[in-house]
Amino acid sequence: MYKGKEIEDRCVSFIFEHGKDLLASRPFTRLCWQCVKQIVQSDELVVEEKLIFQAVLRWSEAECARKHMQVRIALLTWSKAECAHKHMQVRIALLTWSEAECARKHMQVRIALLTWSEAECARKHMQVCIALLTWSEAECARKHMQVCIALLTWSMSECARKHMQVRIALLTWSEAECARNHMQVRIALLTWSEAECARKHMQVRIALLTWSEAECARKHMQVRIALLTWSEAECARKHMQVRIALLTWSEAECARKHMQVRIALLTWSEAECARKHMQVRIALLTWSEAECARKHMQVRIALLTWSEAECARKHMQVRIALLTWSEAECALKHMQVRIAL
């Protein structure tokens, strides 16, 4: 840097004579590390330790800027070699960890460190600046080193007290985090899927099947058995077999409509299902369940309501229809309506 001893001595003398102004100047931040070290370690530099400390911090920020890295990344440079062994980018690994840590603490790394020192000072009932200066002066007095070296020494001694490398520290933290969550990755994924299903309220088919199965479980019968049981009970009350009752009524109805009951019912159900794009069984179940849900009544009441609605569409009430049929049937069989029922 210097071509002659004489020029070097003059420069050094000028620096020590104007130490305060030099430390505050921009050219100081452009010096090499050896020059900075020589200046701040010299006993001829008569300047407050606070100014020296601030100047070294400014120089370190400028040095990081020259190397195309932020101060935050510069402090974590040491971990690059370790990350290289693990085939990962240092910047992503360190930034990801630090950002996650900062996100939990709602502050950037630099603010986090200052906040920690302020909290530490608050516990000791002194301001941060006074605490740092007091500690650094006492530490430097004992160790005869600059504040910057003192901070590095403190961090190394802190690591020595904890007997762990950065890698072990990160793993320990992640294990502690997992311990707090009390779940493995697989359980976490299952929990997520359950939450996803809860948000989507499960697929319609599974929901309908589950509900119908639960409903049948409560009623202890399948839908088909339920309908047959109802028809058998209704026929038992009327003292006639289900098949004869349905056939007799359907034959009379079909005679009036010029079609067989089976074809009529199949034609209607197929046309209805074609419009609703569903099979007959699903269509009937869906309709009955929706109808029951809207009317808050059991299947038996739903079926009776449907028959009443069907009769209403044909301009007759169910009771009148049945009585009309029974009267016609009794007229054919020469018996009274009451005896026929």
Side-chain angles (χ1 to χ4, degrees):
M1 182 175 180
Y2 303 101
K3 294 183 179 180
K5 182 66 175 175
E6 183 179 354
I7 296 176
E8 180 180 354
D9 293 339
R10 286 184 180 182
C11 292
V12 171
S13 298
F14 179 83
I15 290 171
F16 292 143
E17 288 176 3
H18 304 83
K20 184 175 180 179
D21 295 333
L22 174 69
L23 294 177
S25 67
R26 181 171 294 179
F28 178 79
T29 62
R30 293 197 289 268
L31 295 176
C32 67
W33 166 241
Q34 295 299 329
C35 294
V36 173
K37 182 178 180 182
Q38 182 180 356
I39 291 170
V40 298
Q41 281 186 337
S42 177
D43 294 334
E44 297 181 21
L45 183 64
V46 183
V47 180
E48 294 181 8
E49 291 293 331
K50 177 181 178 180
L51 298 178
I52 297 175
F53 179 70
Q54 292 174 350
V56 171
L57 285 179
R58 285 197 303 274
W59 177 87
S60 64
E61 291 176 357
E63 183 70 12
C64 289
R66 285 192 290 274
K67 294 182 179 180
H68 307 290
M69 62 179 73
Q70 300 172 353
V71 176
R72 181 179 170 189
I73 300 174
L75 292 174
L76 295 172
T77 302
W78 169 83
S79 61
K80 284 184 179 179
E82 185 68 18
C83 290
H85 300 315
K86 298 178 183 178
H87 309 288
M88 63 178 77
Q89 296 177 352
V90 174
R91 187 171 183 177
I92 297 173
L94 293 174
L95 283 176
T96 301
W97 177 82
S98 61
E99 285 173 358
E101 186 67 16
C102 290
R104 286 190 293 275
K105 297 181 179 178
H106 308 289
M107 61 182 78
Q108 299 173 349
V109 172
R110 189 170 181 179
I111 298 173
L113 292 174
L114 289 174
T115 302
W116 175 84
S117 62
E118 288 172 359
E120 185 69 15
C121 291
R123 287 193 292 274
K124 296 181 179 179
H125 308 290
M126 62 180 72
Q127 298 175 352
V128 174
C129 189
I130 298 173
L132 289 174
L133 286 174
T134 302
W135 176 84
S136 63
E137 288 172 0
E139 187 69 13
C140 289
R142 286 191 297 275
K143 297 183 178 179
H144 307 290
M145 60 181 72
Q146 302 168 352
V147 174
C148 188
I149 299 173
L151 291 174
L152 289 174
T153 303
W154 176 83
S155 63
M156 288 190 291
S157 62
E158 182 69 13
C159 290
R161 285 193 295 276
K162 294 182 178 178
H163 305 288
M164 61 180 78
Q165 299 171 347
V166 174
R167 184 178 174 184
I168 299 174
L170 292 175
L171 287 173
T172 302
W173 176 85
S174 62
E175 290 174 356
E177 184 68 15
C178 290
R180 285 191 295 275
N181 291 339
H182 304 290
M183 63 178 76
Q184 299 172 347
V185 174
R186 187 172 181 181
I187 299 175
L189 291 174
L190 287 174
T191 303
W192 175 86
S193 62
E194 291 174 357
E196 185 70 14
C197 290
R199 284 191 295 273
K200 293 182 177 177
H201 305 289
M202 69 184 78
Q203 299 175 351
V204 175
R205 187 172 181 180
I206 298 174
L208 291 175
L209 287 174
T210 303
W211 179 85
S212 62
E213 288 173 358
E215 185 69 15
C216 290
R218 287 192 293 274
K219 295 180 180 179
H220 308 289
M221 63 180 78
Q222 299 172 350
V223 174
R224 188 172 180 180
I225 298 174
L227 293 175
L228 288 174
T229 302
W230 176 82
S231 61
E232 289 173 357
E234 186 68 16
C235 289
R237 286 192 294 276
K238 295 181 180 179
H239 307 289
M240 61 179 77
Q241 297 177 352
V242 175
R243 189 170 182 179
I244 297 173
L246 291 176
L247 286 174
T248 302
W249 177 82
S250 62
E251 286 172 359
E253 185 68 16
C254 288
R256 286 190 293 274
K257 295 183 179 179
H258 308 292
M259 64 178 76
Q260 297 177 353
V261 172
R262 187 171 182 179
I263 298 174
L265 291 175
L266 286 174
T267 302
W268 177 84
S269 62
E270 288 173 358
E272 185 69 15
C273 290
R275 286 191 296 274
K276 295 182 179 178
H277 306 289
M278 60 179 76
Q279 298 175 352
V280 175
R281 187 172 181 181
I282 298 173
L284 291 175
L285 285 174
T286 302
W287 177 85
S288 61
E289 288 170 359
E291 186 70 16
C292 289
R294 286 191 296 274
K295 296 183 179 179
H296 307 289
M297 63 179 70
Q298 299 173 348
V299 175
R300 184 173 176 180
I301 299 174
L303 292 173
L304 289 174
T305 303
W306 175 83
S307 63
E308 291 174 358
E310 183 69 17
C311 290
R313 286 192 292 274
K314 294 180 180 178
H315 309 290
M316 65 179 80
Q317 299 175 350
V318 175
R319 187 170 181 179
I320 297 173
L322 292 174
L323 288 174
T324 302
W325 172 81
S326 62
E327 287 173 359
E329 185 69 18
C330 288
L332 297 174
K333 296 182 179 180
H334 305 287
M335 62 179 69
Q336 297 175 354
V337 173
R338 187 171 183 181
I339 298 173
L341 293 173

